[in-house]
Amino acid sequence: MRRSHQLPLVGFLLFSLIPSQLCTICEVSKENYSRLNPLINTMINSKYSKGIQAANVLLSLKLVGIQNQRLEQQLIQQVHDNEENKDLTSGQLALLILALGACQNSDETFAYSHLVSQLEKKFQEEIKNMEVHHGNPLTNYYQLSLDVLALCLFNGNYSITEVTNLFTLENKNFYFGGQFSVDTGAMAVLALTCVKRRIVNGQTETDEENFKHINNHAKSLVKKILSEKKENGLIGNIFSTGEAMQALFVSSNYYKENEWNCQQTLETVLKEIPRGTFRIPTAAAQILPALVGKTYLDVTKNSSCVSGSGNLNISTQEPVSVAPTSSPSYILVHYSVKINETYSTDVTVPKGSVFLDVMEEAQKINETVFRFTAVESSWGPYITSVQGLEANNNHRTYWELLSDSKPVSQGVGSYVVQNGEKLEVRWSKY
């Protein structure tokens, strides 16, 4: 029965999916590789490139084909150190698998199959949590997409039917505060594309109905991603653009050539590099692969490690710090915490301080009102509680950072505050 069912399906897949193997890619020319050097230096010289951040950096450097054995071994050791962390989320574990397994010779036995088994369990825990908590995963849909991508690329077990049910465009988990999350949608497109390719190649079996849903989900997400394109070519914001580019690279059959000017997007991103926009290692690591025409689907292609960006200069020297010649100047900002009531204070911090510095100073002024907790993430510190009130994925609650009543586009540890700015941490739902 299965045999007669699969044969027409294969014909259908080959007919409908061959165009999706074509990719539209724009990339930085070798003559302009020097424009990417600040990204490389940020990744390898930053003191934050440890643990899960090291995984981001290792994955990026492998994908773009940078050969530096000593640096790679340092990063691998940092990733291994994090491997024993029992508190790793599913998405963090998926990222570790992608980084450690990237560009491995196809003739070699995958050395991290035990991590894939762990990820299978964590992914099922995410699904179970959604079943009992109104469709809310333990983490978020970006991480679930990473889970599916890693399981797909490294032959893990997952249910095609579950994937089909998860990634409908209408799912609330693609939206954050009513706004479509471009990077979440992009990661889902990469995951769905991997699943589709395995079906086409005969590595995974499914029925025609599931395949149609997967194909339609990917197409809908691509259209939604393109709807978030800005006049200057950015897609969503500067930090979601890299992964959006990857998604569009592998799905060019879903949109017309005039719907996306890839070269414009590339040039806009390149202009942001010297401005220090990607000064966080994770930000640099996520944008770099797309700039040289790579995607996370290239992880299992050994050729991506031996071709590509060999001309990028790598300096493993720590930057020399220069002692300030005079006392720093100070700025005054207004800081508020809003739950049911609003609690406010004025805070003085050195010029160049970040949002987190303001919160720490406010806590010194009044610990009862302004106390908070934070954890380290791949993007730096993340606020988990204020006044003892904790963010909760099951309740879809979080602490939102705002400046002059508008959400900030960077994290609490990277957003540089300005004199006279009105900062707010607000208890919010998404």
Side-chain angles (χ1 to χ4, degrees):
M1 189 72 179
R2 173 180 291 180
R3 196 172 182 182
S4 62
H5 179 69
Q6 288 300 122
L7 285 174
L9 174 61
V10 170
F12 171 76
L13 293 177
L14 291 175
F15 173 78
S16 60
L17 268 192
I18 285 175
S20 71
Q21 306 304 313
L22 303 175
C23 298
T24 297
I25 292 177
C26 61
E27 58 187 282
V28 176
S29 64
K30 291 186 177 181
E31 293 75 21
N32 284 315
Y33 274 170
S34 60
R35 299 178 70 177
L36 304 179
N37 286 337
L39 298 177
I40 304 295
N41 292 328
T42 291
M43 288 191 285
I44 65 177
N45 290 326
S46 175
K47 62 181 179 180
Y48 298 112
S49 289
K50 296 179 180 178
I52 203 65
Q53 284 190 335
N56 268 300
V57 170
L58 179 62
L59 174 59
S60 182
L61 294 182
K62 280 187 173 184
L63 277 178
V64 302
I66 290 177
Q67 303 291 308
N68 185 305
Q69 190 171 10
R70 186 171 69 87
L71 172 62
E72 185 172 321
Q73 288 304 313
Q74 289 175 351
L75 290 169
I76 288 175
Q77 185 57 54
Q78 289 176 350
V79 173
H80 276 309
D81 291 343
N82 207 52
E83 182 186 328
E84 303 302 320
N85 184 355
K86 302 299 182 183
D87 295 326
L88 282 177
T89 65
S90 67
Q92 290 172 339
L93 179 57
L95 184 62
L96 259 62
I97 293 169
L98 292 175
L100 292 170
C103 309
Q104 181 173 292
N105 192 310
S106 57
D107 295 330
E108 298 176 8
T109 302
F110 184 54
Y112 305 104
S113 56
H114 65 290
L115 296 182
V116 176
S117 297
Q118 290 179 30
L119 180 59
E120 291 171 354
K121 294 176 183 177
K122 285 184 178 289
F123 180 61
Q124 286 307 311
E125 289 170 2
E126 298 272 13
I127 301 298
K128 289 178 182 177
N129 197 80
M130 293 179 69
E131 292 172 353
V132 297
H133 289 287
H134 310 290
N136 299 319
L138 287 169
T139 56
N140 53 55
Y141 254 43
Y142 181 88
Q143 295 200 40
L144 258 69
S145 300
L146 262 177
D147 298 347
V148 173
L149 179 61
L151 291 173
C152 176
L153 288 171
F154 293 99
N155 302 314
N157 292 316
Y158 56 93
S159 163
I160 295 289
T161 301
E162 284 179 348
V163 171
T164 301
N165 294 334
L166 282 174
F167 294 117
T168 60
L169 179 61
E170 297 77 19
N171 193 298
K172 63 182 179 181
N173 292 290
F174 282 117
Y175 299 84
F176 199 82
Q179 178 69 37
F180 178 72
S181 173
V182 171
D183 50 359
T184 301
M187 190 59 68
V189 169
L190 291 170
L192 289 169
T193 302
C194 180
V195 172
K196 286 194 304 178
R197 289 182 179 179
R198 286 185 64 87
I199 295 170
V200 171
N201 294 333
Q203 297 167 294
T204 301
E205 291 186 358
T206 189
D207 58 43
E208 188 173 319
E209 195 64 28
N210 274 340
F211 163 73
K212 285 182 179 179
H213 285 311
I214 289 172
N215 200 48
N216 289 336
H217 294 344
K219 183 177 182 179
S220 298
L221 286 167
V222 167
K223 294 296 184 183
K224 190 65 177 176
I225 289 168
L226 285 169
S227 74
E228 298 293 328
K229 181 168 55 68
K230 306 297 186 284
E231 288 186 5
N232 62 359
L234 295 183
I235 308 168
N237 60 42
I238 186 65
F239 301 109
S240 61
T241 295
E243 288 172 340
M245 290 175 71
Q246 290 191 38
L248 295 176
F249 286 167
V250 301
S251 56
S252 57
N253 60 304
Y254 292 140
Y255 59 92
K256 298 177 182 177
E257 188 175 345
N258 62 3
E259 289 185 79
W260 178 42
N261 186 337
C262 183
Q263 198 62 42
Q264 181 198 25
T265 301
L266 185 69
E267 284 301 321
T268 299
V269 171
L270 288 174
K271 289 175 183 175
E272 291 295 324
I273 294 175
R275 296 171 183 167
T277 302
F278 304 102
R279 59 182 173 273
I280 297 176
T282 297
Q286 287 190 359
I287 195 67
L288 182 60
L291 299 182
V292 295
K294 300 293 183 181
T295 80
Y296 293 148
L297 294 180
D298 294 319
V299 158
T300 51
K301 296 179 181 177
N302 187 47
S303 59
S304 64
C305 289
V306 294
S307 64
S309 314
N311 294 332
L312 283 170
N313 297 322
I314 300 181
S315 169
T316 54
Q317 299 285 326
E318 288 285 342
V320 179
S321 58
V322 180
T325 55
S326 60
S327 299
S329 57
Y330 286 82
I331 59 174
L332 181 69
V333 298
H334 187 73
Y335 174 66
S336 300
V337 168
K338 185 175 181 180
I339 308 175
N340 295 322
E341 300 179 50
T342 300
Y343 310 87
S344 302
T345 187
D346 289 330
V347 177
T348 300
V349 291
K351 187 176 181 181
S353 294
V354 296
F355 206 125
L356 183 64
D357 297 323
V358 173
M359 295 183 69
E360 289 174 342
E361 287 302 313
Q363 186 172 235
K364 293 176 184 177
I365 295 171
N366 189 330
E367 186 171 355
T368 301
V369 171
F370 299 116
R371 73 184 187 278
F372 70 94
T373 59
V375 295
E376 276 297 322
S377 73
S378 59
W379 284 87
Y382 174 78
I383 303 302
T384 54
S385 76
V386 177
Q387 290 187 19
L389 187 58
E390 292 193 5
N392 188 303
N393 284 328
N394 290 333
H395 299 150
R396 295 175 66 83
T397 55
Y398 72 109
W399 287 101
E400 186 177 17
L401 309 181
L402 301 104
S403 170
D404 297 325
S405 299
K406 296 179 181 179
V408 301
S409 61
Q410 299 180 55
V412 70
S414 54
Y415 180 79
V416 179
V417 301
Q418 305 298 324
N419 187 47
E421 201 167 1
K422 294 180 180 178
L423 302 177
E424 181 183 325
V425 177
R426 182 184 300 172
W427 179 243
S428 301
K429 295 198 74 171
Y430 60 91

